[in-house]
Tab-separated table of all heavy atoms in Angstrom:
chain	number	residue	atom	x	y	z
G	296	ALA	N	-18.670	1.279	20.968
G	296	ALA	CA	-18.247	-0.066	21.409
G	296	ALA	C	-17.380	-0.040	22.658
G	296	ALA	O	-16.459	-0.828	22.802
G	296	ALA	CB	-17.528	-0.805	20.288
G	298	ARG	N	-14.951	1.627	23.983
G	298	ARG	CA	-13.687	2.352	24.173
G	298	ARG	C	-13.192	3.076	22.938
G	298	ARG	O	-12.142	3.700	22.979
G	298	ARG	CB	-12.595	1.420	24.702
G	298	ARG	CG	-12.054	0.421	23.706
G	298	ARG	CD	-10.931	-0.405	24.313
G	298	ARG	NE	-9.782	0.388	24.686
G	298	ARG	CZ	-8.524	0.045	24.448
G	298	ARG	NH1	-8.253	-1.072	23.811
G	298	ARG	NH2	-7.531	0.791	24.833
G	299	TYR	N	-13.922	2.997	21.844
G	299	TYR	CA	-13.430	3.582	20.604
G	299	TYR	C	-14.137	4.891	20.282
G	299	TYR	O	-15.135	5.246	20.898
G	299	TYR	CB	-13.636	2.589	19.448
G	299	TYR	CG	-12.952	1.279	19.732
G	299	TYR	CD1	-13.649	0.209	20.281
G	299	TYR	CD2	-11.599	1.127	19.503
G	299	TYR	CE1	-13.009	-0.983	20.583
G	299	TYR	CE2	-10.946	-0.057	19.801
G	299	TYR	CZ	-11.661	-1.107	20.342
G	299	TYR	OH	-11.015	-2.275	20.648
G	337	LYS	N	0.538	8.962	17.359
G	337	LYS	CA	1.461	7.973	17.907
G	337	LYS	C	0.817	6.605	18.113
G	337	LYS	O	1.403	5.579	17.798
G	337	LYS	CB	1.965	8.512	19.245
G	337	LYS	CG	3.209	7.856	19.775
G	337	LYS	CD	3.584	8.578	21.068
G	337	LYS	CE	5.013	8.286	21.483
G	337	LYS	NZ	5.409	9.119	22.630
G	523	TRP	N	-18.065	-9.157	17.192
G	523	TRP	CA	-16.983	-8.704	18.085
G	523	TRP	C	-15.653	-9.303	17.627
G	523	TRP	O	-14.650	-8.614	17.499
G	523	TRP	CB	-17.355	-9.139	19.498
G	523	TRP	CG	-16.439	-8.760	20.630
G	523	TRP	CD1	-16.520	-7.627	21.389
G	523	TRP	CD2	-15.360	-9.525	21.176
G	523	TRP	NE1	-15.556	-7.649	22.365
G	523	TRP	CE2	-14.830	-8.790	22.257
G	523	TRP	CE3	-14.789	-10.752	20.846
G	523	TRP	CZ2	-13.756	-9.246	23.026
G	523	TRP	CZ3	-13.718	-11.203	21.604
G	523	TRP	CH2	-13.207	-10.451	22.687
G	524	GLU	N	-15.658	-10.615	17.357
G	524	GLU	CA	-14.430	-11.299	16.914
G	524	GLU	C	-13.937	-10.730	15.582
G	524	GLU	O	-12.761	-10.453	15.406
G	524	GLU	CB	-14.688	-12.800	16.707
G	524	GLU	CG	-15.053	-13.560	17.953
G	524	GLU	CD	-13.845	-14.007	18.769
G	524	GLU	OE1	-12.715	-13.816	18.310
G	524	GLU	OE2	-14.072	-14.517	19.880
G	527	PHE	N	-12.725	-6.902	15.970
G	527	PHE	CA	-11.665	-6.499	16.899
G	527	PHE	C	-10.527	-7.494	17.046
G	527	PHE	O	-9.474	-7.144	17.546
G	527	PHE	CB	-12.265	-6.240	18.288
G	527	PHE	CG	-13.278	-5.151	18.299
G	527	PHE	CD1	-14.600	-5.414	18.596
G	527	PHE	CD2	-12.910	-3.846	18.002
G	527	PHE	CE1	-15.545	-4.408	18.610
G	527	PHE	CE2	-13.841	-2.831	18.020
G	527	PHE	CZ	-15.166	-3.110	18.317
G	539	LYS	N	-5.390	4.771	27.207
G	539	LYS	CA	-5.619	5.512	28.451
G	539	LYS	C	-5.123	4.765	29.674
G	539	LYS	O	-5.128	5.299	30.763
G	539	LYS	CB	-7.107	5.818	28.608
G	539	LYS	CG	-7.616	6.816	27.583
G	539	LYS	CD	-8.966	7.368	27.967
G	539	LYS	CE	-9.455	8.335	26.908
G	539	LYS	NZ	-10.852	8.718	27.141
G	540	ASP	N	-4.718	3.522	29.490
G	540	ASP	CA	-4.201	2.735	30.611
G	540	ASP	C	-5.137	2.706	31.812
G	540	ASP	O	-4.727	2.928	32.954
G	540	ASP	CB	-2.831	3.274	31.058
G	540	ASP	CG	-1.705	2.733	30.188
G	540	ASP	OD1	-1.901	1.668	29.582
G	540	ASP	OD2	-0.646	3.371	30.106
G	541	MET	N	-6.408	2.443	31.549
G	541	MET	CA	-7.333	2.255	32.665
G	541	MET	C	-7.073	0.883	33.277
G	541	MET	O	-6.669	-0.043	32.589
G	541	MET	CB	-8.785	2.301	32.170
G	541	MET	CG	-9.179	3.600	31.516
G	541	MET	SD	-9.171	4.958	32.673
G	541	MET	CE	-10.886	5.050	33.048
G	542	SER	N	-7.341	0.761	34.567
G	542	SER	CA	-7.120	-0.522	35.218
G	542	SER	C	-8.242	-1.493	34.812
G	542	SER	O	-9.281	-1.067	34.321
G	542	SER	CB	-7.091	-0.323	36.729
G	542	SER	OG	-8.205	0.435	37.127
G	544	THR	N	-11.520	-3.894	34.979
G	544	THR	CA	-12.788	-3.609	35.640
G	544	THR	C	-12.972	-4.490	36.869
G	544	THR	O	-12.617	-5.666	36.865
G	544	THR	CB	-13.928	-3.799	34.616
G	544	THR	OG1	-14.017	-2.601	33.859
G	544	THR	CG2	-15.262	-4.081	35.271
G	546	TYR	N	-15.362	-6.363	39.403
G	546	TYR	CA	-16.685	-6.930	39.672
G	546	TYR	C	-16.756	-7.186	41.169
G	546	TYR	O	-15.952	-7.928	41.714
G	546	TYR	CB	-16.875	-8.242	38.914
G	546	TYR	CG	-17.037	-8.037	37.431
G	546	TYR	CD1	-15.941	-7.740	36.636
G	546	TYR	CD2	-18.290	-8.125	36.829
G	546	TYR	CE1	-16.083	-7.535	35.277
G	546	TYR	CE2	-18.438	-7.925	35.468
G	546	TYR	CZ	-17.340	-7.634	34.701
G	546	TYR	OH	-17.487	-7.432	33.355
G	547	LYS	N	-17.738	-6.560	41.813
G	547	LYS	CA	-17.826	-6.653	43.264
G	547	LYS	C	-18.913	-7.640	43.659
G	547	LYS	O	-19.624	-8.187	42.811
G	547	LYS	CB	-18.138	-5.280	43.852
G	547	LYS	CG	-17.099	-4.214	43.491
G	547	LYS	CD	-15.764	-4.482	44.149
G	547	LYS	CE	-14.869	-3.258	44.098
G	547	LYS	NZ	-13.535	-3.543	44.631
G	552	VAL	N	-23.890	-9.579	35.710
G	552	VAL	CA	-23.693	-9.061	34.356
G	552	VAL	C	-23.976	-10.158	33.341
G	552	VAL	O	-23.435	-11.265	33.447
G	552	VAL	CB	-22.249	-8.540	34.180
G	552	VAL	CG1	-22.040	-8.006	32.765
G	552	VAL	CG2	-21.948	-7.442	35.199
G	553	LYS	N	-24.840	-9.861	32.375
G	553	LYS	CA	-25.173	-10.838	31.331
G	553	LYS	C	-25.134	-10.154	29.964
G	553	LYS	O	-25.635	-9.038	29.807
G	553	LYS	CB	-26.592	-11.404	31.526
G	553	LYS	CG	-26.892	-11.907	32.914
G	553	LYS	CD	-26.508	-13.365	33.083
G	553	LYS	CE	-26.974	-13.864	34.442
G	553	LYS	NZ	-25.991	-14.707	35.103
G	554	ASN	N	-24.603	-10.875	29.003
G	554	ASN	CA	-24.602	-10.442	27.608
G	554	ASN	C	-24.265	-8.959	27.457
G	554	ASN	O	-25.038	-8.183	26.919
G	554	ASN	CB	-25.977	-10.736	26.977
G	554	ASN	CG	-25.933	-10.573	25.471
G	554	ASN	OD1	-24.938	-10.920	24.830
G	554	ASN	ND2	-26.986	-10.015	24.899
G	555	SER	N	-23.107	-8.590	27.919
G	555	SER	CA	-22.735	-7.180	27.862
G	555	SER	C	-21.265	-7.024	27.510
G	555	SER	O	-20.464	-7.933	27.708
G	555	SER	CB	-23.007	-6.492	29.205
G	555	SER	OG	-24.405	-6.450	29.441
G	557	ILE	N	-18.077	-4.731	28.383
G	557	ILE	CA	-17.685	-3.868	29.496
G	557	ILE	C	-16.239	-3.406	29.298
G	557	ILE	O	-15.334	-4.227	29.189
G	557	ILE	CB	-17.766	-4.618	30.843
G	557	ILE	CG1	-19.041	-5.450	30.955
G	557	ILE	CG2	-17.575	-3.656	32.011
G	557	ILE	CD1	-20.259	-4.737	31.429
G	559	ASN	N	-12.700	-1.164	30.401
G	559	ASN	CA	-11.878	-1.138	31.615
G	559	ASN	C	-12.239	0.029	32.528
G	559	ASN	O	-12.908	0.983	32.131
G	559	ASN	CB	-10.411	-1.027	31.231
G	559	ASN	CG	-9.759	-2.396	31.112
G	559	ASN	OD1	-10.458	-3.410	31.063
G	559	ASN	ND2	-8.456	-2.431	31.073
D	165	LYS	N	-3.552	-7.060	33.837
D	165	LYS	CA	-3.211	-6.136	32.764
D	165	LYS	C	-1.717	-5.841	32.697
D	165	LYS	O	-1.193	-5.486	31.653
D	165	LYS	CB	-3.966	-4.828	33.013
D	165	LYS	CG	-3.591	-3.717	32.074
D	165	LYS	CD	-4.476	-2.503	32.276
D	165	LYS	CE	-4.101	-1.437	31.282
D	165	LYS	NZ	-5.188	-1.047	30.419
D	203	ASN	N	8.268	4.018	25.358
D	203	ASN	CA	7.147	4.857	24.951
D	203	ASN	C	5.906	4.660	25.836
D	203	ASN	O	5.264	5.619	26.237
D	203	ASN	CB	6.891	4.496	23.470
D	203	ASN	CG	5.621	5.049	22.916
D	203	ASN	OD1	4.657	5.268	23.641
D	203	ASN	ND2	5.615	5.292	21.633
D	391	ASP	N	-12.311	-5.208	48.556
D	391	ASP	CA	-13.286	-4.128	48.335
D	391	ASP	C	-12.580	-2.819	48.058
D	391	ASP	O	-12.985	-2.052	47.198
D	391	ASP	CB	-14.200	-3.989	49.558
D	391	ASP	CG	-15.246	-5.098	49.583
D	391	ASP	OD1	-15.437	-5.728	48.518
D	391	ASP	OD2	-15.836	-5.343	50.645
D	397	THR	N	-4.506	1.550	40.679
D	397	THR	CA	-3.655	1.472	39.482
D	397	THR	C	-4.180	2.323	38.328
D	397	THR	O	-3.448	2.606	37.393
D	397	THR	CB	-3.522	0.021	38.991
D	397	THR	OG1	-4.831	-0.521	38.849
D	397	THR	CG2	-2.726	-0.819	39.968
D	402	ARG	N	-1.116	6.441	37.912
D	402	ARG	CA	-1.572	5.345	37.055
D	402	ARG	C	-0.421	4.424	36.676
D	402	ARG	O	0.664	4.881	36.351
D	402	ARG	CB	-2.209	5.935	35.789
D	402	ARG	CG	-2.910	4.932	34.932
D	402	ARG	CD	-3.843	5.611	33.949
D	402	ARG	NE	-4.927	6.310	34.649
D	402	ARG	CZ	-5.983	6.842	34.048
D	402	ARG	NH1	-6.102	6.786	32.751
D	402	ARG	NH2	-6.906	7.463	34.751
D	404	HIS	N	1.211	2.369	34.059
D	404	HIS	CA	1.163	2.255	32.601
D	404	HIS	C	1.672	0.889	32.178
D	404	HIS	O	2.487	0.277	32.853
D	404	HIS	CB	2.020	3.342	31.960
D	404	HIS	CG	1.545	4.723	32.280
D	404	HIS	ND1	0.380	5.240	31.762
D	404	HIS	CD2	2.051	5.679	33.080
D	404	HIS	CE1	0.202	6.460	32.225
D	404	HIS	NE2	1.205	6.757	33.033
D	410	LEU	N	-6.927	-4.161	22.305
D	410	LEU	CA	-8.012	-5.131	22.438
D	410	LEU	C	-9.302	-4.428	22.824
D	410	LEU	O	-9.282	-3.405	23.496
D	410	LEU	CB	-7.661	-6.162	23.515
D	410	LEU	CG	-6.531	-7.134	23.174
D	410	LEU	CD1	-6.147	-7.949	24.399
D	410	LEU	CD2	-6.941	-8.055	22.035
D	411	PRO	N	-10.430	-4.996	22.410
D	411	PRO	CA	-11.726	-4.379	22.722
D	411	PRO	C	-12.139	-4.637	24.168
D	411	PRO	O	-11.526	-5.463	24.848
D	411	PRO	CB	-12.679	-5.102	21.765
D	411	PRO	CG	-12.056	-6.442	21.562
D	411	PRO	CD	-10.569	-6.212	21.596
D	413	HIS	N	-14.090	-6.275	27.260
D	413	HIS	CA	-14.382	-7.702	27.389
D	413	HIS	C	-15.880	-7.964	27.258
D	413	HIS	O	-16.711	-7.079	27.439
D	413	HIS	CB	-13.812	-8.266	28.695
D	413	HIS	CG	-14.366	-7.647	29.941
D	413	HIS	ND1	-13.711	-6.677	30.651
D	413	HIS	CD2	-15.529	-7.861	30.605
D	413	HIS	CE1	-14.433	-6.332	31.690
D	413	HIS	NE2	-15.544	-7.032	31.688
D	414	TYR	N	-16.193	-9.219	26.932
D	414	TYR	CA	-17.578	-9.606	26.705
D	414	TYR	C	-18.010	-10.632	27.741
D	414	TYR	O	-17.315	-11.618	27.973
D	414	TYR	CB	-17.738	-10.190	25.295
D	414	TYR	CG	-19.114	-10.758	25.058
D	414	TYR	CD1	-20.215	-9.897	24.945
D	414	TYR	CD2	-19.328	-12.132	24.976
D	414	TYR	CE1	-21.491	-10.410	24.755
D	414	TYR	CE2	-20.595	-12.642	24.784
D	414	TYR	CZ	-21.678	-11.786	24.679
D	414	TYR	OH	-22.939	-12.276	24.504
D	415	ILE	N	-19.151	-10.376	28.358
D	415	ILE	CA	-19.714	-11.312	29.333
D	415	ILE	C	-20.950	-11.936	28.699
D	415	ILE	O	-21.867	-11.228	28.285
D	415	ILE	CB	-20.127	-10.565	30.625
D	415	ILE	CG1	-18.957	-9.739	31.179
D	415	ILE	CG2	-20.644	-11.546	31.661
D	415	ILE	CD1	-17.818	-10.524	31.727
D	416	GLY	N	-20.967	-13.246	28.592
D	416	GLY	CA	-22.043	-13.948	27.888
D	416	GLY	C	-23.359	-14.010	28.643
D	416	GLY	O	-23.429	-13.659	29.821
D	417	PRO	N	-24.405	-14.486	27.964
D	417	PRO	CA	-25.758	-14.492	28.524
D	417	PRO	C	-25.902	-15.362	29.770
D	417	PRO	O	-26.759	-15.107	30.602
D	417	PRO	CB	-26.631	-15.060	27.401
D	417	PRO	CG	-25.782	-15.054	26.174
D	417	PRO	CD	-24.357	-14.990	26.590
D	419	ALA	N	-23.237	-16.194	31.773
D	419	ALA	CA	-22.042	-16.049	32.611
D	419	ALA	C	-22.399	-15.550	34.001
D	419	ALA	O	-23.440	-14.924	34.205
D	419	ALA	CB	-21.074	-15.080	31.954
D	423	HIS	N	-16.676	-10.628	42.351
D	423	HIS	CA	-15.380	-10.528	43.020
D	423	HIS	C	-14.249	-10.815	42.048
D	423	HIS	O	-13.426	-11.705	42.278
D	423	HIS	CB	-15.280	-11.524	44.178
D	423	HIS	CG	-16.048	-11.071	45.371
D	423	HIS	ND1	-17.089	-11.780	45.878
D	423	HIS	CD2	-15.925	-9.977	46.133
D	423	HIS	CE1	-17.584	-11.148	46.911
D	423	HIS	NE2	-16.895	-10.044	47.089
D	424	ALA	N	-14.215	-10.089	40.961
D	424	ALA	CA	-13.209	-10.412	39.954
D	424	ALA	C	-12.665	-9.144	39.322
D	424	ALA	O	-13.284	-8.084	39.379
D	424	ALA	CB	-13.825	-11.305	38.883
D	426	LEU	N	-11.402	-8.028	35.543
D	426	LEU	CA	-11.393	-8.490	34.153
D	426	LEU	C	-10.773	-7.444	33.254
D	426	LEU	O	-11.112	-6.263	33.342
D	426	LEU	CB	-12.814	-8.782	33.670
D	426	LEU	CG	-13.224	-10.244	33.811
D	426	LEU	CD1	-13.905	-10.445	35.135
D	426	LEU	CD2	-14.089	-10.661	32.666
D	427	ASN	N	-9.910	-7.893	32.369
D	427	ASN	CA	-9.269	-6.964	31.455
D	427	ASN	C	-9.832	-7.089	30.041
D	427	ASN	O	-10.644	-7.965	29.742
D	427	ASN	CB	-7.751	-7.176	31.460
D	427	ASN	CG	-7.016	-5.971	30.915
D	427	ASN	OD1	-7.498	-4.842	31.031
D	427	ASN	ND2	-5.880	-6.193	30.301
D	446	ARG	N	-10.193	-16.653	27.362
D	446	ARG	CA	-11.500	-17.208	26.980
D	446	ARG	C	-11.948	-18.203	28.050
D	446	ARG	O	-11.188	-19.100	28.398
D	446	ARG	CB	-11.416	-17.934	25.634
D	446	ARG	CG	-10.918	-17.069	24.485
D	446	ARG	CD	-11.862	-15.906	24.302
D	446	ARG	NE	-11.339	-14.919	23.380
D	446	ARG	CZ	-11.755	-14.808	22.120
D	446	ARG	NH1	-12.660	-15.635	21.638
D	446	ARG	NH2	-11.256	-13.862	21.352
Side-chain angles (χ1 to χ4, degrees):
Chain G
R298 72 177 297 224
Y299 303 96
K337 197 177 196 173
W523 182 91
E524 296 276 354
F527 299 115
K539 292 195 181 171
D540 278 337
M541 299 294 261
S542 49
T544 277
Y546 288 76
K547 302 292 195 185
V552 180
K553 310 272 186 222
N554 192 38
S555 293
I557 316 275
N559 268 14
Chain D
K165 173 174 182 121
N203 169 332
D391 283 343
T397 52
R402 189 163 296 189
H404 298 289
L410 291 171
H413 61 260
Y414 173 70
I415 307 291
H423 284 118
L426 265 92
N427 199 29
R446 302 300 170 103

